[in-house]
Amino acid sequence: MTQTRHAPVQPSETMGEPTARGRFGEYGGRYAPESLVEACREVDEAFREAWADPGFRGELAELLALHAGRPTPLTPARRLSRELGVRLYLKREDLTHTGSHKINNVLGQALLATRMGRRRLIAETGAGQHGVATATAAALLGLEATVFMGERDIERQELNVFRMRMLGAEVIPVTTGSRTLKDATSQAMRHWVGATGDSHYCIGSVVGPDPYPWMVREFQRVIGEEARAQCAAELAAGVPGYVVACVGGGSNAAGTFAGFADTTARFVGVEADGGAGAARGSLGVLHGCRSLFLQDGDGQIVEAHSIAAGLDYPGVGPEHAHLRDLGRARYDTVTDDEAVGAAVRLARTEGIVPALESAHALAWVIRAAGDGGLPAGATVLMTLSGRGDKDISTLKELL
Ligand SMILES: *Cc1c(COP(=O)(O)O)cnc(C)c1O
């Protein structure tokens, strides 16, 4: 890249396809064993072909409408906006089937797997949200699902484990390392090595080897495209001044940003204080991809910590790292306490209990409206990535 960090960018230069080597700037790539590089190449080829095929697009749009409940509304947060002195609009991914944006991506990948003649989906899951979404899509399309999950997470997320099994998925406990998401991901990738002929590896965010960061962003683009049309109909300016979303790996944010890449809207990604790959990570390679990760002095990946399981990832997708370098998006962090406070505030002003992940984005809006980070009267589009039902027991212990 010849651009320096703070050089102004032409909006249209960003959020296109990665380079031929699967890069966004200096990030991305395929850092995997030879057999997986070949499997990724097949996924890439199949995805390119499918994405250019109106038949595939139409079939996916129908699944999203009839099964997942799209389009989701754009809800003006009227009472909270008055309190904050900004105009806040919520893109309601919490209203999708299974309760978060994850369904957009898994339906896309499940349909692609079917097209590729695969009969099984392999996935990893931390708290179980991506595992449940994968099991749901597999059941809908008549595929098998094998979900790798850390032993510690299995103990903590009993209900989601049951849900996956109820949907017919096989849940495999991972007993290595810290027995959480990072280890489950490594195990799922190793398992895929021996099963590439009949199985598709369904990654849950804009992370992993090329083409996943790009493909998952394209499957999540529906959030941004719907929101763009809804803003055009709803807002006097047609486009919001700010587009805000929480960032774990970064898929709901990337899908939202993509719909506004050619506008002057300012992008803000909000990470958990204990999982701030984009805000505080350094260059590294993990799970097949070069990006920004939390690392110690020896370059070992540091375990992430967040009250929101979906933000508990020690890195960030390569495209976010690139958007950060370009200055096209900024990344900020929010503490557990701020997120819990924001969740309560949304519940009491708008009658919506958000997922704790989404509450991070809202906490940033609340803070920025108070400290000048957002100018008075700013129009803000925020993606409400999921609903808070899964977090009720966590909240109950704190409130
Ligand atoms: C998984 C999850 C996230 C984080 O994932 P991204 O890929 O960063 O979008 C955010 N919100 C909810 C509700 C989730 O389930």
Side-chain angles (χ1 to χ4, degrees):
M1 281 310 302
T2 53
Q3 269 161 325
T4 56
R5 179 126 185 240
H6 296 289
V9 291
Q10 291 305 314
S12 57
E13 282 181 27
T14 58
M15 305 206 81
E17 286 185 22
T19 67
R21 290 171 59 228
R23 304 265 173 167
F24 296 100
E26 61 173 310
Y27 309 101
R30 273 178 206 159
Y31 293 84
E34 197 48 48
S35 58
L36 285 197
V37 168
E38 174 57 22
C40 288
R41 205 195 48 73
E42 284 176 29
V43 173
D44 184 69
E45 193 178 275
F47 173 66
R48 279 174 193 278
E49 193 188 75
W51 212 224
D53 174 5
F56 179 86
R57 295 257 192 160
E59 226 178 311
L60 180 57
E62 187 175 281
L63 284 178
L64 289 169
L66 301 183
H67 193 74
R70 304 207 72 89
T72 60
L74 183 71
T75 305
R78 295 212 169 86
R79 298 186 61 222
L80 185 56
S81 290
R82 246 186 330 265
E83 289 181 11
L84 298 177
V86 299
R87 282 177 298 159
L88 174 62
Y89 292 83
L90 306 174
K91 180 59 176 162
R92 300 291 304 279
E93 296 304 294
D94 60 314
L95 293 179
T96 57
H97 177 52
T98 67
S100 86
H101 67 289
K102 288 198 168 72
I103 194 76
N104 305 324
N105 168 47
V106 296
L107 285 177
Q109 288 198 51
L111 198 60
L112 183 69
T114 306
R115 187 180 169 104
M116 293 176 76
R118 306 293 190 253
R119 57 170 189 86
R120 188 168 66 120
L121 299 180
I122 298 167
E124 77 288 325
T125 197
Q129 297 305 112
H130 175 57
V132 168
T134 302
T136 299
L140 179 69
L141 295 182
L143 299 166
E144 291 171 30
T146 304
V147 181
F148 289 84
M149 189 169 185
E151 210 172 40
R152 267 179 66 199
D153 290 330
I154 288 183
E155 286 161 17
R156 292 186 287 196
Q157 304 289 340
E158 228 183 312
L159 222 54
N160 274 341
V161 174
F162 175 76
R163 214 170 266 155
M164 285 184 264
R165 291 184 171 144
M166 169 94 196
L167 289 158
E170 180 189 15
V171 181
I172 299 186
V174 173
T175 56
T176 51
S178 56
R179 296 174 292 138
T180 56
L181 176 62
K182 187 159 67 72
D183 314 288
T185 306
S186 305
Q187 192 99 354
M189 290 183 83
R190 266 198 299 275
H191 180 77
W192 193 32
V193 172
T196 53
D198 72 343
S199 302
H200 173 74
Y201 180 26
C202 183
I203 297 185
S205 189
V206 287
V207 298
D210 174 66
Y212 285 93
W214 172 52
M215 176 171 72
V216 175
R217 181 250 278 166
E218 288 300 290
F219 285 140
Q220 293 293 0
R221 172 185 286 278
V222 66
I223 305 172
E225 284 185 348
E226 281 178 15
R228 177 77 180 273
Q230 289 164 323
C231 285
E234 191 82 12
L235 309 182
V239 172
Y242 293 79
V243 178
V244 184
C246 65
V247 173
S251 69
N252 86 91
T256 308
F257 293 172
F260 296 87
D262 64 337
T263 75
T264 54
R266 290 163 199 268
F267 297 163
V268 182
V270 186
E271 300 184 283
D273 195 43
R280 288 200 289 268
S282 53
L283 194 59
V285 172
L286 180 68
H287 300 146
C289 170
R290 188 171 198 245
S291 192
L292 298 171
F293 299 98
L294 298 177
Q295 298 170 79
D296 65 18
D298 300 327
Q300 294 294 314
I301 303 293
V302 174
E303 189 113 357
H305 289 288
S306 170
I307 194 169
L311 304 187
D312 227 343
Y313 188 72
V316 71
E319 190 170 25
H320 285 292
H322 183 50
L323 291 174
R324 184 197 76 161
D325 284 2
L326 291 174
R328 180 66 185 93
R330 57 178 284 211
Y331 296 85
D332 236 327
T333 64
V334 153
T335 64
D336 286 357
D337 287 350
E338 286 178 295
V340 170
V344 173
R345 192 143 176 205
L346 190 68
R348 296 185 184 172
T349 51
E350 302 294 336
I352 299 168
V353 178
L356 282 171
E357 290 84 358
S358 324
H360 282 71
L362 184 66
W364 183 88
V365 173
I366 292 171
R367 190 209 293 153
D371 71 8
L374 281 171
T379 316
V380 181
L381 167 71
M382 190 200 104
T383 297
L384 194 75
S385 56
R387 63 180 178 231
D389 303 38
K390 68 182 178 58
D391 298 315
I392 293 296
S393 62
T394 304
L395 289 164
K396 185 163 163 275
E397 275 173 27
L398 292 171
L399 301 171

